[in-house]
Short mmCIF file of all heavy atoms in Angstrom, two decimals:
data_model
loop_
_atom_site.label_atom_id
_atom_site.label_comp_id
_atom_site.label_asym_id
_atom_site.label_seq_id
_atom_site.Cartn_x
_atom_site.Cartn_y
_atom_site.Cartn_z
N THR A 181 -47.40 -0.75 24.15
CA THR A 181 -47.53 -1.38 25.50
C THR A 181 -46.58 -2.55 25.56
O THR A 181 -46.17 -3.04 24.61
CB THR A 181 -48.94 -1.73 25.71
OG1 THR A 181 -49.26 -2.91 24.87
CG2 THR A 181 -50.04 -0.66 25.44
N GLU A 182 -46.45 -2.96 26.85
CA GLU A 182 -45.58 -4.19 27.05
C GLU A 182 -46.10 -5.37 26.41
O GLU A 182 -45.22 -6.25 25.75
CB GLU A 182 -45.54 -4.36 28.67
CG GLU A 182 -44.58 -5.69 28.95
CD GLU A 182 -43.11 -5.34 28.71
OE1 GLU A 182 -42.76 -4.08 28.63
OE2 GLU A 182 -42.27 -6.22 28.58
N ASP A 183 -47.41 -5.62 26.49
CA ASP A 183 -47.97 -6.58 25.70
C ASP A 183 -47.84 -6.68 24.12
O ASP A 183 -47.52 -7.68 23.56
CB ASP A 183 -49.47 -6.81 26.06
CG ASP A 183 -49.64 -7.41 27.35
OD1 ASP A 183 -48.82 -7.84 27.99
OD2 ASP A 183 -50.90 -7.12 27.86
N GLN A 184 -48.01 -5.32 23.59
CA GLN A 184 -47.74 -5.23 22.16
C GLN A 184 -46.25 -5.62 21.87
O GLN A 184 -46.00 -6.16 20.76
CB GLN A 184 -48.20 -3.87 21.75
CG GLN A 184 -49.59 -3.58 21.76
CD GLN A 184 -50.01 -2.18 21.49
OE1 GLN A 184 -49.28 -1.18 21.82
NE2 GLN A 184 -51.11 -1.89 20.86
N PHE A 185 -45.40 -5.08 22.60
CA PHE A 185 -43.90 -5.25 22.31
C PHE A 185 -43.58 -6.71 22.39
O PHE A 185 -42.91 -7.14 21.48
CB PHE A 185 -43.13 -4.43 23.41
CG PHE A 185 -41.57 -4.67 23.18
CD1 PHE A 185 -40.96 -4.02 22.21
CD2 PHE A 185 -40.91 -5.52 24.13
CE1 PHE A 185 -39.63 -4.33 22.04
CE2 PHE A 185 -39.60 -5.78 23.82
CZ PHE A 185 -38.86 -5.17 22.98
N ARG A 186 -44.16 -7.46 23.31
CA ARG A 186 -43.82 -8.79 23.47
C ARG A 186 -44.44 -9.64 22.32
O ARG A 186 -44.00 -10.73 21.93
CB ARG A 186 -44.18 -9.46 24.83
CG ARG A 186 -43.33 -8.86 25.86
CD ARG A 186 -43.57 -9.47 27.29
NE ARG A 186 -42.60 -9.00 28.26
CZ ARG A 186 -41.37 -9.63 28.50
NH1 ARG A 186 -41.05 -10.56 27.57
NH2 ARG A 186 -40.55 -9.10 29.27
N SER A 187 -45.70 -9.20 21.89
CA SER A 187 -46.35 -10.09 20.90
C SER A 187 -45.89 -9.90 19.48
O SER A 187 -45.73 -10.93 18.79
CB SER A 187 -47.85 -9.89 21.09
OG SER A 187 -48.19 -8.55 20.63
N TRP A 188 -45.55 -8.67 19.10
CA TRP A 188 -45.17 -8.42 17.78
C TRP A 188 -44.16 -7.21 17.62
O TRP A 188 -43.43 -7.00 16.61
CB TRP A 188 -46.43 -8.19 16.84
CG TRP A 188 -47.31 -7.05 17.35
CD1 TRP A 188 -48.39 -7.18 18.02
CD2 TRP A 188 -47.18 -5.66 17.01
NE1 TRP A 188 -49.02 -5.98 18.32
CE2 TRP A 188 -48.32 -5.00 17.77
CE3 TRP A 188 -46.36 -4.77 16.27
CZ2 TRP A 188 -48.47 -3.56 17.64
CZ3 TRP A 188 -46.61 -3.46 16.13
CH2 TRP A 188 -47.68 -2.91 16.85
N GLY A 189 -44.22 -6.26 18.57
CA GLY A 189 -43.29 -4.99 18.41
C GLY A 189 -41.88 -5.27 18.31
O GLY A 189 -41.14 -4.59 17.73
N TRP A 190 -41.42 -6.32 18.98
CA TRP A 190 -39.98 -6.58 18.85
C TRP A 190 -39.46 -6.97 17.51
O TRP A 190 -38.25 -6.95 17.21
CB TRP A 190 -39.65 -7.85 19.88
CG TRP A 190 -40.18 -9.14 19.48
CD1 TRP A 190 -41.31 -9.60 19.85
CD2 TRP A 190 -39.62 -10.09 18.50
NE1 TRP A 190 -41.56 -10.91 19.41
CE2 TRP A 190 -40.42 -11.16 18.67
CE3 TRP A 190 -38.48 -10.06 17.94
CZ2 TRP A 190 -40.27 -12.29 17.75
CZ3 TRP A 190 -38.14 -11.21 17.17
CH2 TRP A 190 -38.98 -12.39 17.04
N ARG A 191 -40.53 -7.38 16.67
CA ARG A 191 -40.08 -7.69 15.27
C ARG A 191 -39.71 -6.59 14.42
O ARG A 191 -39.07 -6.60 13.36
CB ARG A 191 -41.16 -8.53 14.58
CG ARG A 191 -41.50 -9.80 15.36
CD ARG A 191 -42.73 -10.51 14.73
NE ARG A 191 -43.04 -11.68 15.44
CZ ARG A 191 -42.47 -13.01 15.23
NH1 ARG A 191 -41.49 -13.04 14.31
NH2 ARG A 191 -42.87 -14.10 16.00
N LEU A 192 -40.32 -5.34 14.65
CA LEU A 192 -40.22 -4.18 13.86
C LEU A 192 -38.76 -3.80 13.57
O LEU A 192 -38.42 -3.49 12.36
CB LEU A 192 -40.97 -2.92 14.51
CG LEU A 192 -42.52 -3.27 14.65
CD1 LEU A 192 -43.20 -1.99 15.21
CD2 LEU A 192 -43.05 -3.57 13.24
N PRO A 193 -37.86 -3.70 14.53
CA PRO A 193 -36.49 -3.50 14.24
C PRO A 193 -35.86 -4.35 13.19
O PRO A 193 -34.92 -3.87 12.39
CB PRO A 193 -35.83 -3.50 15.59
CG PRO A 193 -36.93 -3.23 16.59
CD PRO A 193 -38.03 -3.95 15.97
N PHE A 194 -36.15 -5.69 13.27
CA PHE A 194 -35.59 -6.61 12.34
C PHE A 194 -36.16 -6.42 10.89
O PHE A 194 -35.46 -6.42 9.87
CB PHE A 194 -35.93 -7.98 12.79
CG PHE A 194 -35.15 -8.43 13.93
CD1 PHE A 194 -35.76 -8.14 15.21
CD2 PHE A 194 -33.95 -9.10 14.02
CE1 PHE A 194 -35.06 -8.61 16.42
CE2 PHE A 194 -33.18 -9.34 15.02
CZ PHE A 194 -33.79 -9.18 16.33
N LEU A 195 -37.50 -6.04 10.74
CA LEU A 195 -38.11 -5.91 9.55
C LEU A 195 -37.58 -4.56 8.91
O LEU A 195 -37.59 -4.48 7.56
CB LEU A 195 -39.64 -5.96 9.71
CG LEU A 195 -40.14 -7.29 10.11
CD1 LEU A 195 -41.69 -7.21 10.34
CD2 LEU A 195 -39.77 -8.34 9.30
N LEU A 196 -37.16 -3.65 9.67
CA LEU A 196 -36.75 -2.35 9.09
C LEU A 196 -35.46 -2.54 8.31
O LEU A 196 -35.12 -1.77 7.59
CB LEU A 196 -36.51 -1.31 10.27
CG LEU A 196 -35.85 -0.02 9.89
CD1 LEU A 196 -36.84 0.82 8.99
CD2 LEU A 196 -35.59 0.76 11.21
N SER A 197 -34.72 -3.67 8.45
CA SER A 197 -33.67 -3.97 7.73
C SER A 197 -33.81 -4.00 6.34
O SER A 197 -32.78 -3.72 5.62
CB SER A 197 -33.02 -5.32 8.25
OG SER A 197 -31.90 -5.64 7.52
N ILE A 198 -35.06 -4.32 5.78
CA ILE A 198 -35.33 -4.35 4.29
C ILE A 198 -34.98 -2.88 3.79
O ILE A 198 -34.29 -2.83 2.69
CB ILE A 198 -36.75 -4.75 4.04
CG1 ILE A 198 -37.10 -6.08 4.69
CG2 ILE A 198 -37.13 -4.47 2.59
CD1 ILE A 198 -38.56 -6.53 4.62
N VAL A 199 -35.43 -1.88 4.42
CA VAL A 199 -35.17 -0.57 3.90
C VAL A 199 -33.68 -0.30 3.89
O VAL A 199 -33.09 0.46 3.05
CB VAL A 199 -36.00 0.43 4.67
CG1 VAL A 199 -35.81 1.83 4.15
CG2 VAL A 199 -37.51 0.10 4.52
N LEU A 200 -33.13 -0.53 5.15
CA LEU A 200 -31.75 -0.07 5.30
C LEU A 200 -30.78 -0.75 4.36
O LEU A 200 -29.80 -0.20 3.87
CB LEU A 200 -31.36 -0.34 6.76
CG LEU A 200 -32.09 0.38 7.81
CD1 LEU A 200 -31.57 -0.01 9.24
CD2 LEU A 200 -31.95 1.89 7.59
N VAL A 201 -31.00 -2.18 4.10
CA VAL A 201 -30.14 -2.78 3.20
C VAL A 201 -30.24 -2.25 1.82
O VAL A 201 -29.22 -2.13 0.99
CB VAL A 201 -30.46 -4.29 3.22
CG1 VAL A 201 -29.78 -5.08 2.12
CG2 VAL A 201 -30.09 -4.96 4.60
N GLY A 202 -31.37 -1.87 1.46
CA GLY A 202 -31.58 -1.21 0.14
C GLY A 202 -30.78 -0.06 -0.01
O GLY A 202 -30.19 0.30 -1.02
N VAL A 203 -30.78 0.81 1.05
CA VAL A 203 -29.97 2.10 1.03
C VAL A 203 -28.60 1.69 1.00
O VAL A 203 -27.82 2.24 0.11
CB VAL A 203 -30.32 2.90 2.39
CG1 VAL A 203 -29.17 4.07 2.39
CG2 VAL A 203 -31.73 3.47 2.37
N GLY A 204 -28.06 0.75 1.73
CA GLY A 204 -26.61 0.38 1.70
C GLY A 204 -26.23 -0.03 0.38
O GLY A 204 -25.16 0.20 -0.11
N LEU A 205 -27.08 -0.96 -0.22
CA LEU A 205 -26.68 -1.45 -1.60
C LEU A 205 -26.54 -0.35 -2.60
O LEU A 205 -25.63 -0.46 -3.38
CB LEU A 205 -27.70 -2.57 -2.10
CG LEU A 205 -27.68 -3.84 -1.36
CD1 LEU A 205 -28.89 -4.76 -1.87
CD2 LEU A 205 -26.35 -4.60 -1.76
N PHE A 206 -27.48 0.58 -2.55
CA PHE A 206 -27.46 1.73 -3.51
C PHE A 206 -26.13 2.41 -3.33
O PHE A 206 -25.42 2.86 -4.43
CB PHE A 206 -28.56 2.72 -3.29
CG PHE A 206 -28.56 3.86 -4.10
CD1 PHE A 206 -28.85 3.98 -5.40
CD2 PHE A 206 -28.18 5.15 -3.36
CE1 PHE A 206 -28.83 5.06 -6.16
CE2 PHE A 206 -28.09 6.35 -4.22
CZ PHE A 206 -28.40 6.34 -5.59
N ILE A 207 -25.64 2.57 -2.08
CA ILE A 207 -24.44 3.46 -1.87
C ILE A 207 -23.18 2.63 -2.41
O ILE A 207 -22.28 3.11 -2.89
CB ILE A 207 -24.35 3.81 -0.32
CG1 ILE A 207 -25.46 4.76 -0.11
CG2 ILE A 207 -22.89 4.35 0.00
CD1 ILE A 207 -25.59 5.18 1.43
N ARG A 208 -23.13 1.36 -1.88
CA ARG A 208 -22.00 0.53 -2.21
C ARG A 208 -21.81 0.33 -3.67
O ARG A 208 -20.69 0.12 -4.13
CB ARG A 208 -22.07 -0.81 -1.47
CG ARG A 208 -21.64 -0.52 0.09
CD ARG A 208 -21.53 -1.82 0.81
NE ARG A 208 -20.92 -1.47 2.10
CZ ARG A 208 -20.88 -2.47 3.08
NH1 ARG A 208 -21.22 -3.68 2.81
NH2 ARG A 208 -20.20 -2.16 4.14
N LEU A 209 -22.86 0.24 -4.41
CA LEU A 209 -22.69 -0.04 -5.97
C LEU A 209 -22.11 1.02 -6.64
O LEU A 209 -21.54 0.94 -7.76
CB LEU A 209 -24.09 -0.37 -6.50
CG LEU A 209 -24.66 -1.79 -6.15
CD1 LEU A 209 -26.11 -1.78 -6.40
CD2 LEU A 209 -23.85 -2.93 -6.80
N ARG A 210 -22.17 2.33 -6.04
CA ARG A 210 -21.53 3.47 -6.64
C ARG A 210 -20.11 3.65 -6.48
O ARG A 210 -19.53 4.77 -6.87
CB ARG A 210 -22.46 4.62 -6.23
CG ARG A 210 -23.90 4.62 -6.65
CD ARG A 210 -24.62 5.80 -6.18
NE ARG A 210 -24.18 7.07 -6.78
CZ ARG A 210 -23.76 8.03 -6.26
NH1 ARG A 210 -23.53 8.01 -4.88
NH2 ARG A 210 -23.28 9.30 -6.88
N VAL A 211 -19.50 2.83 -5.52
CA VAL A 211 -17.99 3.03 -5.30
C VAL A 211 -17.21 2.14 -6.16
O VAL A 211 -17.49 1.00 -6.33
CB VAL A 211 -17.85 2.56 -3.81
CG1 VAL A 211 -16.34 2.72 -3.37
CG2 VAL A 211 -18.73 3.42 -2.90
N ALA A 212 -16.02 2.74 -6.59
CA ALA A 212 -15.08 1.92 -7.33
C ALA A 212 -14.37 0.95 -6.63
O ALA A 212 -14.12 1.24 -5.30
CB ALA A 212 -14.33 2.91 -8.09
N GLU A 213 -13.81 -0.03 -7.12
CA GLU A 213 -12.77 -0.98 -6.60
C GLU A 213 -11.73 -0.21 -6.15
O GLU A 213 -11.22 0.83 -6.72
CB GLU A 213 -12.38 -2.08 -7.62
CG GLU A 213 -11.41 -3.18 -7.04
CD GLU A 213 -12.09 -3.87 -5.84
OE1 GLU A 213 -12.90 -4.78 -5.85
OE2 GLU A 213 -11.70 -3.39 -4.60
N THR A 214 -10.88 -0.70 -5.03
CA THR A 214 -9.69 0.07 -4.65
C THR A 214 -8.64 0.00 -5.66
O THR A 214 -8.41 -0.92 -6.38
CB THR A 214 -9.23 -0.49 -3.20
OG1 THR A 214 -8.53 -1.84 -3.61
CG2 THR A 214 -10.34 -0.83 -2.26
N PRO A 215 -7.85 1.08 -5.67
CA PRO A 215 -6.81 1.21 -6.58
C PRO A 215 -5.70 0.14 -6.27
O PRO A 215 -5.00 -0.44 -7.27
CB PRO A 215 -6.09 2.59 -6.39
CG PRO A 215 -6.73 3.08 -5.11
CD PRO A 215 -8.01 2.35 -4.93
N VAL A 216 -5.53 -0.33 -5.05
CA VAL A 216 -4.47 -1.39 -4.77
C VAL A 216 -4.96 -2.66 -5.48
O VAL A 216 -4.19 -3.32 -6.00
CB VAL A 216 -4.48 -1.58 -3.21
CG1 VAL A 216 -3.68 -2.82 -2.87
CG2 VAL A 216 -3.92 -0.21 -2.57
N PHE A 217 -6.23 -3.02 -5.25
CA PHE A 217 -6.67 -4.28 -5.95
C PHE A 217 -6.69 -4.28 -7.48
O PHE A 217 -6.34 -5.16 -8.08
CB PHE A 217 -8.05 -4.80 -5.41
CG PHE A 217 -8.50 -6.05 -5.96
CD1 PHE A 217 -7.95 -7.26 -5.39
CD2 PHE A 217 -9.33 -6.26 -7.06
CE1 PHE A 217 -8.27 -8.51 -5.85
CE2 PHE A 217 -9.52 -7.44 -7.56
CZ PHE A 217 -9.13 -8.60 -7.02
N ARG A 218 -7.02 -3.12 -7.94
CA ARG A 218 -7.01 -2.94 -9.43
C ARG A 218 -5.59 -3.11 -9.96
O ARG A 218 -5.47 -3.70 -11.03
CB ARG A 218 -7.50 -1.50 -9.76
CG ARG A 218 -9.10 -1.29 -9.59
CD ARG A 218 -9.56 -0.19 -10.50
NE ARG A 218 -8.73 1.18 -10.36
CZ ARG A 218 -9.07 1.98 -9.33
NH1 ARG A 218 -10.13 1.83 -8.52
NH2 ARG A 218 -8.45 3.17 -9.33
N THR A 219 -4.65 -2.65 -9.15
CA THR A 219 -3.23 -2.92 -9.62
C THR A 219 -2.93 -4.34 -9.63
O THR A 219 -2.28 -4.90 -10.47
CB THR A 219 -2.21 -2.05 -8.76
OG1 THR A 219 -2.46 -0.64 -8.84
CG2 THR A 219 -0.70 -2.32 -9.08
N LEU A 220 -3.30 -5.03 -8.44
CA LEU A 220 -2.94 -6.46 -8.47
C LEU A 220 -3.66 -7.19 -9.63
O LEU A 220 -2.97 -8.11 -10.15
CB LEU A 220 -3.55 -6.98 -7.06
CG LEU A 220 -2.83 -6.66 -5.79
CD1 LEU A 220 -3.65 -7.12 -4.52
CD2 LEU A 220 -1.55 -7.41 -5.73
N ALA A 221 -4.98 -6.89 -9.83
CA ALA A 221 -5.59 -7.62 -10.93
C ALA A 221 -5.02 -7.42 -12.26
O ALA A 221 -4.84 -8.33 -13.11
CB ALA A 221 -7.02 -7.14 -11.04
N ALA A 222 -4.43 -6.14 -12.44
CA ALA A 222 -3.86 -5.76 -13.79
C ALA A 222 -2.62 -6.55 -13.96
O ALA A 222 -2.14 -6.88 -15.11
CB ALA A 222 -3.64 -4.25 -13.85
N GLU A 223 -1.96 -6.73 -12.84
CA GLU A 223 -0.66 -7.46 -12.97
C GLU A 223 -0.81 -8.90 -12.67
O GLU A 223 0.21 -9.55 -12.70
CB GLU A 223 0.29 -6.85 -11.90
CG GLU A 223 0.69 -5.46 -12.11
CD GLU A 223 1.50 -4.75 -10.97
OE1 GLU A 223 1.67 -5.60 -9.99
OE2 GLU A 223 1.91 -3.72 -11.06
N GLN A 224 -2.02 -9.35 -12.40
CA GLN A 224 -2.45 -10.80 -12.20
C GLN A 224 -1.47 -11.28 -11.11
O GLN A 224 -0.94 -12.33 -11.14
CB GLN A 224 -2.21 -11.72 -13.40
CG GLN A 224 -3.11 -11.30 -14.47
CD GLN A 224 -3.08 -12.22 -15.75
OE1 GLN A 224 -2.02 -12.82 -15.87
NE2 GLN A 224 -4.17 -12.36 -16.50
N ALA A 225 -1.46 -10.44 -9.89
CA ALA A 225 -0.57 -10.83 -8.93
C ALA A 225 -1.40 -11.38 -7.59
O ALA A 225 -0.81 -11.41 -6.49
CB ALA A 225 0.25 -9.47 -8.43
N GLN A 226 -2.59 -11.62 -7.82
CA GLN A 226 -3.42 -12.06 -6.59
C GLN A 226 -2.75 -13.43 -6.20
O GLN A 226 -2.34 -14.30 -7.00
CB GLN A 226 -4.93 -12.31 -7.00
CG GLN A 226 -5.54 -11.07 -7.47
CD GLN A 226 -5.71 -11.03 -8.98
OE1 GLN A 226 -4.75 -11.18 -9.67
NE2 GLN A 226 -7.03 -10.95 -9.41
#
Side-chain angles (χ1 to χ4, degrees):
T181 66
E182 183 68 21
D183 287 342
Q184 288 173 329
F185 176 74
R186 290 188 173 277
S187 64
W188 55 268
W190 65 269
R191 299 179 183 275
L192 297 179
F194 291 90
L195 299 178
L196 178 61
S197 179
I198 297 174
V199 177
L200 296 179
V201 168
V203 172
L205 285 173
F206 173 77
I207 293 171
R208 284 188 168 175
L209 286 168
R210 299 178 65 240
V211 176
E213 182 58 82
T214 74
V216 171
F217 185 80
R218 291 202 305 269
T219 299
L220 284 175
E223 298 174 354
Q224 296 185 335
Q226 303 102 308

